[in-house]
C-alpha cells in the first residue's frame, strides 16, 4: 500500500538510508545473521525493487477499482539512484561469508530467478528492446497506425475520454455464446470461400446512399457514383432487402462483434501500461461489420466512421442493460417551431429525438464557432401552403412562415462538426477552407434552448479531433483531449497522434487554422495557410447530474453488479481483463529488470559468490541456485536488454561470469545442454509448473511467452521452428521470427553453448559425446536443416553456432562423425547437389540415420531486372564453417581428420569443387571488421574524392565537388570500400591454411590431385576481365606452396602438365569443344592460361620455367585469332549515365547502378558483353555512347552516355579497335 517515492528530497533520504544499511552490512558482516535480515531482504526485493503496479499485478483481476496511474502503485524505488541503492543492499547481504549470507544469497537467487523466468522477452520480431520506452508516460497509451488507421485511432481516443460512455461500454456484460457464434460464422465463411467465388447475381448496398445495385455490371453506385467496396456483402437474387436487413440486425445483436472488440480496445486504453496498443483486431472487425465507403484498411472520413460505429453499438446494446447508453451520451431532442409571419400565430410544433445528435456547422465565411451557431439557429423564412387559410379556388393560400430550431433536451456530450469541406464546381474538385475559426473552451447554448434548461446549458471542451491535410481527399487525423476535471484550470491538453502521446503546445496553433509566417535562414519570411485545424469538437455538459440521472445510474450499477455474478455473462470481460493484465505484466517485468546498473550489480554479486564456492560452508544447493539465476537472467534479460545486447563489453563480461559458473558447477554443462536439447512446449493458456534445476535458463516459461495478439507478437510459418527447439536456441541463436536479428546476441549465445560443450567434452572425453546432450542438440538441428535453410537469418544463426563449435578441437571430431560436412555441402549446392541424383540409401547420414533432405531451390528476381536480391544463404559464412571443421585436429600430429563416407564422397565430388572454384575461390577467409577511419584519414579520403569546403554569403559551410550536380551542407563521409575490395583485404590478411581449397588439398593424395585439377579447370574457364580470375591463380599458388604432406612435387607436376595440355589444346584445336569455340573465346582462355604459367614461374621456376620459355609463339597466335570489337571492356571502365539519369560505375568486370550492389559484366560467346538481362550492341555502340538490348524483349533498348570523354577521345573506328590481352600488373605482385 506504500506509494512510490517521487519527491526529490524524499528520494535522497531513501537513497541515504539504503546506502547506510549496505555499508553497515559490509563493515559488520555479523549483521547478516540477525533474525530481521530475511524480512528486510523480502521487503526490499518485493516492495522497493520489484513490486508490480496495480494494473500489472493479479490484484487487477481481483478488484474492480484501483490506482489508475502506475506512479501510485509501482515499486517504492522509482529513480535510478534509489533502485541501485536497494539492489546494492540485497547484493551486500548475499555476498557475506557466513551462514546468514549464504541464506540471503539463496533467497535472493530464488527470487531473482523466479522473477526472470516469469519475465517474457519482447516479441520475436523485435529481439531487443529499451523497456523503459515501452511504458506509457501519460494517462492513456496511444494506438498503433500501420494501415491508414488514423480515422479510427483518433475517434477511439475521443470516445475513451468520455467517462460516461466508456464506463457504460466496459460495464456491459456480454454472453460467452457470442464466441460460439464467431466460430460458426468463420466456418460458414470458410465453407463459402471453398465452394464458390463471389456471386454473379444479386444486389449490393451502397455504403453512402444505401441504394441496392445490381451485381452484374455495376462497379459503382448508379445513384451517387460510389465505387463498389471490396468484400461488400452480396444479397442473393429474389431476397427482400428489408428482410435481409432485419436478419443482419438480428445476427449483429447475437454476435456483438463490434461491441466486444471496442470493449477490448477501451480496456487497453483505460488500463493498458504500454506506450501504444495495436487495435488491429478492431480494424478487422470494423471492416467486416461496418459498411464504410472505403475498405477499413484505407483512409475513411472519421465522422462517417463515428456515425456507423455508434449506430452498430446502439444496435448491439439494444438487448443489454445499457440499451440506451448511446442516447444517454449523445442523444438530444430538438423542436422545430413554425410561426406565420404576418400575425405571429404558431402553426406547428414538432419534436425530433436523435440518439446520435451532432451539430453540423458550415464554417465557410465564418470566423468563430459562435458565429456559425448563430447562422445555424437563425430563423428561416419560407413561403409554403397555409392549411389554415383556404383561397377562393379551394386551395391553401401561400404564406410566409418562420421556422425556428431549438433544443428541447440537451445532450450530455455535444459533438460539433466544423464542415470545412466544399465542392468547387468550376474545377470539379473537393476543396478545404483553412481560414481561422475560433471556438471557446466554455460554450453556453442556453439561448438556443426552447425552454430554460434544468441545471443550465453550459458545456466545457473535452476534446478536439484535428484534420491535417490540404484537401478533403487526403490528410491525417489526430486528437487533442483534456484530461481530468474540466473545471480544473491546471488540467492539461494531451495530443494523441496515433502511437505518439505528448502535451499539446497551443490550442490556438493546433486547431484554429488560419495563416502562419515561416522564417528561413537565407530567405525572407513566407506566409502560408495552416492545413491542420479542428474538424470535430466534443463538449461535455459540466452540470452535476440531476436526481433522476443519479437514480438511473444507481439502478444501472445494481443491475450490472447482479449480472456480473452470472458466470456466463462475466466470462468475456474477465478474458479481456486478463489480456490487459498479462500485457501490462510483461511490460513492467521487463521495465524493472532491463536496467544496466541493476544487472551489473547482480552480476558482481554472482561473480563474488562463485569465487567463494570452494568454502567448506558452501552447500551444493547454493551452487545450483547461482547457476539457475545466472542463466535465467542471461536468457530472459541480458540478451534482450538493448543496453547490454548492443554492448560488446557487457556481453563479454556476462560470458566470462557464466563460464566461471559452469566451471564451478560439476553438472552445469550437462544440465545446460540437456535443457537446450529439449524442445519448448507450445504455449498454453495456463501457467506451467516451475522447472527443475536441470531445465533452468534455456527452457521457455509458458506463462511469459504465450502468444498474445493484443501486443502483436509474431505468428510464424506453418512449420513452427520456435516450438521444435528450446527457447534459448529458437530466440537467441536462430532468432526465429526476428525482423531485425542482433548479431552480438547470436554470437554470445553461440559462444556460451560452445564453451559448455567443450567443458562437457573435457569432463567425459571426446569419445563419450555420442549419447550426450550436445550430440542430441546437433542432431536436432541437422534433422531440420531443410527448414533452417528456408530463412537466411535463421540459417546464419545455425552457421554462427557451427563456427563457435569449430573453434574447439575437442568438438570438431564429433561434429565430423555426425556427417556435418555432408549437410553443409548439401545446403551449399542446393537443388544442384550431387546427392539429389544418388539413391536414397547412399545419402543416409551417420548423424541422423536418415537421407539428406531436399533443399528448396533458391529463388531470385526476374532475369530482365538488373538488380538482384541478395542470395538466400550466406555462402561465405557456410564455407568458412566447413573450412574450420576440416582443420587438422590438435594432438594428432596435426593430421587431417577422418571423415564418414558420405562427407568424403561429397567433398571429392567434381561439381562441388568446380562450384567453389568458380564462385568462392577464397572460401575460408575470415571477413574483416568494418574499417574505422581517423579524422585525418577521413579528410584525406574526402579530398581524394574531390570534395572541397566552401562558405556561402551568410557564413555557413557547405561542401562542393566539381562535376557534381548538387552540394551538401553536412560533411560527406568517405566512400565505403566495395565488397570486392574488402574481399581482397581479407585475402591479403589470411594465411594459406585458412583457405578451404588448401585444407582439402592436404587431406590425401587423391584430394590433392582433385583440387589442383579443379583449380586449373576453373582458371581455364576464366576470362581475363574477371576479378576472381586472379584469386584463382593466387589460391593455386598457395596450394602448390604447401608441403606439410610431402606431396608438393606431385602437385606441381600435375598443375604444370594440366596447364601445358590446356594450352596445347587451344593452340592446335585437338578436341571438338575447342574447335567449336569462337575466336574471341579462344583468345580469352589462351590469355588466362599464359598469364597463369608466367605468374607461377617466379615462385616455382623448376616446374614452370621450361614451359614459359616455350611460349614464343603466343604473339603470332593472338595476331591470327583475335577478332575485331568496337567497344572493349577497357572502354567501359569509368562513369556512365543511362536514360533514367542513374549514375553507373564500372570497375573491371563489375557494374554498379546508383550505389547498389555490383553485378558482373560477362563476355558472351557472341563476341560482346552482357549484364543480367541486357546485351551490349556492338553495332550501335561507340566508345562514348553504348546501347544495351533487353534479352527478353529485343525491341527494348537503353542508352548509356559519358558525362565527359577524358579517357576516350573519340576513337570510333570499328577496324582499328581490336580485342587483345589486357595489360595486367606484373606477376611479381602475386
Amino acid at each position: 500500500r506504500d506509494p512510490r517515492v517521487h519527491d526529490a528530497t524524499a528520494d535522497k533520504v531513501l537513497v541515504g538510508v539504503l546506502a547506510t544499511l549496505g555499508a553497515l552490512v559490509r563493515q559488520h558482516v555479523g549483521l547478516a545473521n540477525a533474525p530481521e535480515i530475511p524480512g528486510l531482504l523480502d521487503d526490499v526485493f518485493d516492495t522497493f525493487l520489484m513490486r508490480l503496479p496495480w494494473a500489472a499485478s493479479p490484484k487487477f483481476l481481483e478488484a474492480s477499482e484501483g490506482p489508475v496511474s502506475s506512479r501510485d502503485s509501482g515499486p517504492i524505488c522509482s529513480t535510478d539512484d534509489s533502485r541501485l541503492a536497494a539492489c546494492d543492499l540485497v547484493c551486500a547481504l548475499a555476498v557475506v561469508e557466513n551462514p546468514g549470507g549464504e541464506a540471503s544469497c539463496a533467497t535472493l537467487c530464488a527470487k531473482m530467478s523466479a522473477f526472470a523466468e516469469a519475465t517474457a522477452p519482447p516479441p520475436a520480431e523485435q529481439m531487443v528492446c529499451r523497456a523503459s520506452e515501452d511504458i506509457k508516460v501519460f494517462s492513456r497509451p496511444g494506438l498503433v497506425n500501420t494501415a491508414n488507421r488514423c480515422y479510427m485511432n483518433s475517434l477511439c481516443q475521443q470516445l475513451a475520454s468520455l467517462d460516461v460512455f466508456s464506463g457504460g461500454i466496459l460495464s456491459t456484460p456480454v454472453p460467452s455464446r457470442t464466441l460460439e457464434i464467431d466460430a460458426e460464422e468463420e466456418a460458414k465463411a470458410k465453407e463459402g470461400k471453398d465452394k464458390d467465388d463471389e456471386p454473379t447475381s444479386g444486389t449490393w448496398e451502397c455504403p453512402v446512399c444505401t441504394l441496392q445495385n445490381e451485381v452484374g455490371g455495376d462497379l459503382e453506385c448508379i445513384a451517387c457514383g460510389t465505387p463498389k467496396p471490396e468484400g461488400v456483402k452480396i444479397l442473393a437474387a429474389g431476397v427482400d432487402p428489408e428482410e435481409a436487413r432485419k436478419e443482419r440486425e438480428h445476427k449483429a445483436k447475437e454476435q456483438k462483434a463490434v461491441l466486444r472488440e471496442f470493449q477490448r480496445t477501451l480496456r487497453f486504453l483505460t488500463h493498458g501500461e504500454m506506450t501504444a496498443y495495436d487495435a488491429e483486431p478492431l480494424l478487422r472487425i470494423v471492416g467486416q461489420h461496418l459498411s464504410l465507403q472505403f475498405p477499413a484498411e484505407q483512409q475513411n472520413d472519421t465522422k462517417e466512421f463515428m456515425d456507423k460505429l455508434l449506430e452498430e453499438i446502439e444496435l448491439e446494446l439494444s438487448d443489454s442493460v445499457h440499451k440506451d447508453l448511446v442516447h444517454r451520451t449523445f442523444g438530444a431532442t430538438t423542436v422545430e417551431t413554425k410561426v406565420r409571419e404576418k400575425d405571429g400565430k404558431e402553426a406547428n410544433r414538432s419534436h425530433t429525438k436523435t440518439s446520435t445528435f451532432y451539430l453540423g456547422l458550415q464554417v465557410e465565411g465564418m470566423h468563430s464557432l459562435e458565429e456559425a451557431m448563430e447562422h445555424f439557429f437563425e430563423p428561416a423564412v419560407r413561403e409554403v401552403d397555409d392549411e389554415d387559410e383556404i383561397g377562393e379556388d379551394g386551395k391553401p393560400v401561400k404564406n410566409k412562415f418562420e421556422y425556428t430550431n431549438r433544443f428541447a433536451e440537451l445532450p450530455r456530450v455535444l459533438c460539433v462538426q466544423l464542415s470545412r469541406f466544399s465542392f468547387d464546381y468550376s474545377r470539379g474538385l473537393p476543396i478545404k477552407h483553412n481560414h481561422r475559426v475560433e471556438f471557446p473552451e466554455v460554450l453556453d447554448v442556453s439561448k438556443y434552448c426552447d425552454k430554460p434548461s434544468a441545471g443550465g446549458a453550459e458545456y466545457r471542451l473535452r476534446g478536439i479531433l484535428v484534420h491535417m491535410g490540404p484537401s478533403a481527399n487526403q490528410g491525417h487525423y489526430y486528437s487533442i483531449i483534456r484530461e481530468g476535471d474540466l473545471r480544473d484550470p491546471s488540467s492539461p491538453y494531451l495530443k494523441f497522434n496515433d502511437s505518439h502521446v505528448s502535451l499539446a503546445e497551443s490550442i490556438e496553433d493546433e486547431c484554429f487554422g488560419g495563416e502562419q509566417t515561416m522564417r528561413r535562414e537565407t530567405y525572407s519570411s513566407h506566409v502560408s495557410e495552416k492545413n491542420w485545424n479542428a474538424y470535430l469538437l466534443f463538449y461535455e455538459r459540466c452540470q452535476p447530474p440531476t436526481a433522476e440521472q443519479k437514480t438511473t445510474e444507481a439502478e444501472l450499477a445494481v443491475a450490472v453488479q447482479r449480472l456480473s455474478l452470472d458466470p456466463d455473462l462475466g466470462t468475456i470481460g474477465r478474458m479481456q481483463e486478463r489480456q490487459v493484465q498479462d500485457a501490462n505484466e510483461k511490460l513492467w517485468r521487463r521495465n524493472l529488470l532491463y536496467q544496466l546498473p541493476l544487472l551489473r550489480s547482480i552480476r558482481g554479486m554472482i561473480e563474488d559468490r562463485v569465487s567463494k564456492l570452494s568454502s567448506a560452508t558452501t552447500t551444493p544447493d547454493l551452487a545450483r541456485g547461482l547457476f539457475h539465476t545466472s542463466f535465467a537472467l542471461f536468457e530472459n534479460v541480458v540478451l534482450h536488454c538493448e543496453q547490454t545486447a548492443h554492448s560488446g563489453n557487457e556481453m563479454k563480461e556476462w560470458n566470462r561470469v557464466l563460464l566461471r559458473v559452469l566451471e564451478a558447477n560439476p553438472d552445469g554443462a550437462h544440465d545446460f545442454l540437456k535443457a537446450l536439447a529439449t524442445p519448448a512446449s507450445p504455449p498454453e493458456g495456463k501457467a506451467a509448473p516451475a522447472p527443475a534445476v536441470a531445465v533452468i535458463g534455456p527452457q521457455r516459461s509458458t506463462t511469459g511467452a504465450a502468444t498474445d495478439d493484443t501486443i502483436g507478437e509474431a505468428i510464424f510459418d506453418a512449420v513452427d521452428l520456435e516450438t521444435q527447439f528450446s527457447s534459448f536456441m529458437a530466440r537467441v541463436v536462430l532468432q526465429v521470427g526476428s525482423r531485425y536479428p542482433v548479431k552480438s546476441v547470436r554470437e554470445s549465445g553461440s559462444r556460451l553453448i560452445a564453451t559448455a560443450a567443450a567443458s562437457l567434452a573435457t569432463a567425459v572425453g571426446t569419445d563419450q559425446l555420442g549419447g550426450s546432450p550436445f550430440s542430441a542438440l546437433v542432431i536436432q538441428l541437422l534433422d531440420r536443416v531443410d527448414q533452417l535453410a528456408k530463412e537466411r537469418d535463421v540459417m546464419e544463426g545455425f552457421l554462427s553456432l557451427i563456427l563457435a563449435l569449430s573453434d574447439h578441437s575437442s568438438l570438431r571430431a564429433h561434429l565430423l562423425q555426425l556427417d556435418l560436412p555432408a549437410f553443409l555441402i548439401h545446403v551449399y549446392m542446393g537443388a544442384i547437389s550431387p546427392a539429389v541424383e544418388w539413391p536414397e540409401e547412399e545419402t543416409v547420414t551417420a548423424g541422423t540415420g536418415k537421407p539428406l533432405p531436399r533443399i528448396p531451390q533458391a529463388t531470385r528476381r526476374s532475369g530482365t531486372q538488373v538488380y538482384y536480391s541478395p542470395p538466400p544463404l550466406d555462402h561465405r559464412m557456410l564455407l568458412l564453417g566447413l573450412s574450420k571443421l576440416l582443420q587438422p585436429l590438435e594432438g594428432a600430429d596435426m593430421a587431417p581428420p577422418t571423415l564418414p563416407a558420405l562427407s568424403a564422397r561429397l567433398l571429392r565430388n567434381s561439381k562441388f569443387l568446380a562450384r567453389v572454384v568458380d564462385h568462392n575461390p577464397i572460401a575460408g577467409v575470415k571477413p574483416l571488421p568494418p574499417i574505422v577511419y581517423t579524422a585525418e584519414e577521413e579528410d584525406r579520403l574526402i579530398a581524394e574524392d574531390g570534395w572541397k569546403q566552401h562558405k556561402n554569403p551568410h557564413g555557413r559551410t557547405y561542401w562542393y565537388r566539381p562535376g557534381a550536380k548538387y552540394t551538401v551542407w553536412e560533411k560527406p563521409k568517405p566512400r565505403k570500400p566495395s565488397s570486392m575490395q574488402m574481399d581482397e583485404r581479407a585475402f591479403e590478411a589470411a594465411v594459406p591454411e585458412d583457405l578451404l581449397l588448401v585444407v582439402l588439398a592436404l587431406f590425401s593424395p587423391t584430394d590433392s590431385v582433385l583440387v589442383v585439377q579443379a583449380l586449373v579447370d576453373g582458371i581455364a574457364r576464366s576470362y581475363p576481365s574477371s576479378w576472381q580470375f586472379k584469386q584463382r591463380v593466387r589460391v593455386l599458388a598457395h596450394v602448390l606452396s604447401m608441403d606439410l604432406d610431402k606431396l608438393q612435387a606431385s602437385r606441381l607436376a600435375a598443375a604444370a602438365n594440366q596447364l601445358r595440355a590446356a594450352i596445347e589444346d587451344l593452340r592446335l584445336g585437338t578436341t571438338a569443344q575447342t574447335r567449336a569455340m569462337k575466336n574471341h573465346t579462344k583468345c580469352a582462355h589462351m590469355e588466362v592460361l599464359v598469364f597463369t604459367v608466367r605468374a607461377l614461374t617466379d615462385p616455382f621456376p623448376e616446374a614452370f620455367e621450361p614451359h614459359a620459355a616455350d611460349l614464343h609463339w603466343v604473339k603470332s597466335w593472338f595476331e591470327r585469332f583475335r577478332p575485331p570489337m568496337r567497344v572493349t571492356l577497357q572502354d567501359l571502365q569509368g562513369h556512365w549515365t543511362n536514360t533514367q539519369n542513374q549514375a553507373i560505375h564500372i570497375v573491371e568486370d563489375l557494374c554498379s547502378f546508383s550505389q547498389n550492389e555490383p553485378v558482373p559484366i560477362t563476355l558472351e560467346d557472341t563476341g560482346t558483353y552482357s549484364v543480367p538481362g541486357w546485351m551490349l550492341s556492338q553495332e550501335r555502340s561507340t566508345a562514348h555512347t553504348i546501347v544495351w538490348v533487353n534479352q527478353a524483349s529485343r525491341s527494348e533498348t537503353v542508352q548509356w552516355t559519358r558525362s565527359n570523354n577524358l579517357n576516350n577521345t573519340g576513337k570510333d573506328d570499328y577496324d582499328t579497335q581490336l580485342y587483345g590481352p589486357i595489360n595486367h600488373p606484373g606477376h611479381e605482385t602475386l
Side-chain angles (χ1 to χ4, degrees), residues 198-207 210-222 228-229 231-245 248 291:
E198 182 178 322
T200 57
S201 63
T203 59
W204 59 274
E205 183 179 290
C206 174
T210 68
L211 181 72
Q212 295 290 332
N213 295 270
E214 293 293 332
V215 171
D218 297 337
L219 297 179
E220 61 181 29
C221 178
I222 58 176
K228 176 184 174 183
V232 68
K233 295 180 180 178
I234 305 298
L235 185 63
V239 177
D240 183 12
E242 182 64 21
E243 293 297 326
R245 182 188 63 79
R248 283 199 300 270
S291 298

Side-chain angles (χ1 to χ4, degrees), residues 494-536:
L494 298 182
K495 181 178 179 179
F496 294 86
N497 191 355
D498 290 329
S499 58
H500 304 286
V501 183
S502 60
L503 288 171
E505 296 180 359
S506 167
I507 298 300
E508 180 179 357
D509 292 339
E510 290 275 3
C511 307
F512 285 0
E515 295 181 341
Q516 62 175 343
T517 302
M518 301 182 64
R519 300 184 182 277
R520 301 181 180 178
E521 180 181 354
T522 57
Y523 302 98
S524 58
S525 60
H526 173 68
V527 178
S528 63
E529 276 190 338
K530 297 178 182 177
N531 62 9
W532 59 95
N533 32 58
Y535 180 48
L536 295 178

Side-chain angles (χ1 to χ4, degrees), residues 102-380:
E102 287 197 6
S104 296
C105 182
T107 302
L108 179 59
C109 286
K111 287 179 174 292
M112 186 59 71
S113 58
F115 197 92
E117 286 178 352
T119 301
E125 69 270 13
Q126 191 176 348
M127 191 60 206
V128 298
C129 71
R130 190 173 296 173
S132 59
E133 296 181 358
D134 292 338
I135 302 295
K136 67 180 181 182
V137 177
F138 298 97
S139 58
R140 281 207 311 276
L143 288 169
V144 176
N145 184 4
T146 57
N148 297 315
R149 303 184 201 172
C150 61
Y151 72 94
M152 182 184 80
N153 293 348
S154 55
L155 182 66
C156 286
Q157 294 286 7
Q158 292 287 352
L159 297 179
S161 69
L162 306 175
D163 293 339
V164 61
F165 181 72
S166 60
I169 293 290
L170 292 177
S171 62
T172 301
V174 179
S176 57
R177 162 68 181 155
T178 56
L179 299 177
E180 300 174 10
I181 299 176
D182 278 350
E184 294 171 2
E185 290 297 320
E186 289 179 9
K188 289 180 182 178
K190 184 178 180 181
E191 182 181 356
K193 187 176 181 181
D194 293 341
K195 279 185 178 180
D196 202 353
D197 294 327
E198 182 178 322
T200 57
S201 63
T203 59
W204 59 274
E205 183 179 290
C206 174
V208 177
C209 66
T210 68
L211 181 72
Q212 295 290 332
N213 295 270
E214 293 293 332
V215 171
D218 297 337
L219 297 179
E220 61 181 29
C221 178
I222 58 176
C224 64
T226 302
K228 176 184 174 183
E230 295 181 10
V232 68
K233 295 180 180 178
I234 305 298
L235 185 63
V239 177
D240 183 12
E242 182 64 21
E243 293 297 326
R245 182 188 63 79
K246 292 180 179 179
E247 182 182 352
R248 283 199 300 270
E249 290 181 356
H250 176 70
K251 187 182 296 182
K253 286 195 289 186
E254 278 194 333
Q255 191 175 4
K256 302 187 187 303
V258 176
L259 175 62
R260 281 185 285 127
E261 280 306 328
F262 189 62
Q263 261 188 346
R264 179 157 71 156
T265 301
L266 287 184
R267 287 194 199 279
F268 274 94
L269 290 179
T270 305
H271 297 297
E273 292 289 319
M274 63 287 300
T275 305
Y277 167 65
D278 189 354
E280 191 275 335
L282 177 61
L283 182 76
R284 186 174 64 251
I285 292 298
V286 162
Q288 294 173 0
H289 295 269
L290 300 188
S291 298
L292 298 176
Q293 183 176 3
F294 303 104
E297 297 79 11
Q298 298 180 14
Q299 187 63 277
N300 282 275
D301 178 57
T302 193
K303 182 60 180 64
E304 178 204 3
F305 171 66
M306 177 180 173
D307 292 341
K308 295 187 175 180
L309 176 68
L310 293 179
E311 179 184 349
E312 183 71 16
I313 289 177
E314 185 176 29
L315 173 64
E316 295 182 7
L317 287 173
S318 59
D319 58 353
S320 71
V321 67
H322 285 296
K323 57 185 177 183
D324 60 344
L325 175 64
V326 175
H327 178 75
R328 284 191 290 114
T329 307
F330 299 99
T333 302
T334 56
V335 57
E336 184 185 60
T337 306
K338 178 180 177 183
V339 178
R340 191 159 50 199
E341 190 178 48
K342 65 181 181 180
D343 56 6
K345 179 183 177 182
E346 183 176 304
N348 188 27
R349 186 179 184 86
S350 61
H351 288 73
T352 303
K353 190 174 183 179
T354 309
S355 294
T356 54
F357 177 83
Y358 75 95
L359 206 57
L361 304 178
Q362 293 293 333
V363 296
E364 183 180 358
M366 309 292 173
H367 297 88
S368 68
L369 175 63
E370 292 88 343
E371 184 180 354
M373 291 184 69
E374 287 287 347
H375 182 267
F376 180 83
F377 286 102
E378 183 180 5

Side-chain angles (χ1 to χ4, degrees), residues 32 103 466 825:
V466 178
I825 296 170

Side-chain angles (χ1 to χ4, degrees), residues 866-867 1127 1129 1131-1147 1150-1154 1159-1161 1169-1172 1174-1177 1180-1189 1197-1203 1205:
V866 174
Y867 312 111
V1127 177
L1129 186 62
D1131 293 326
L1132 293 177
Q1133 304 299 301
H1135 296 273
W1136 297 83
T1137 303
N1138 63 12
T1139 49
Q1140 286 79 32
N1141 203 29
Q1142 288 178 310
I1144 303 164
H1145 185 56
I1146 298 179
V1147 178
L1150 291 179
C1151 178
S1152 301
F1153 294 80
S1154 299
V1159 297
I1161 300 176
Y1169 298 97
S1170 69
V1171 293
W1174 298 86
M1175 186 81 71
L1176 175 65
S1177 172
R1180 288 184 278 180
S1181 302
T1182 66
H1184 50 272
T1185 301
I1186 56 177
V1187 177
W1188 296 88
V1189 180
T1197 60
V1198 172
Q1199 182 173 296
W1200 295 4
T1201 57
R1202 284 195 188 275
S1203 56
N1205 295 317

Side-chain angles (χ1 to χ4, degrees), residues 25 89-97 101-102 104-106 108 605 609:
V25 171
L89 171 59
V90 294
C91 290
L93 291 170
V95 297
V96 174
E97 245 185 311
E102 287 197 6
S104 296
C105 182
L108 179 59
M605 182 275 294
R609 255 303 167 191

Side-chain angles (χ1 to χ4, degrees), residues 905-922:
R905 184 180 179 186
L906 284 171
L907 281 171
R908 292 169 182 152
N909 184 269
S910 59
K911 289 172 66 175
F912 165 67
L913 292 174
R915 183 174 175 84
V916 173
V917 170
D918 288 345
H919 297 279
N920 308 95
I922 60 172

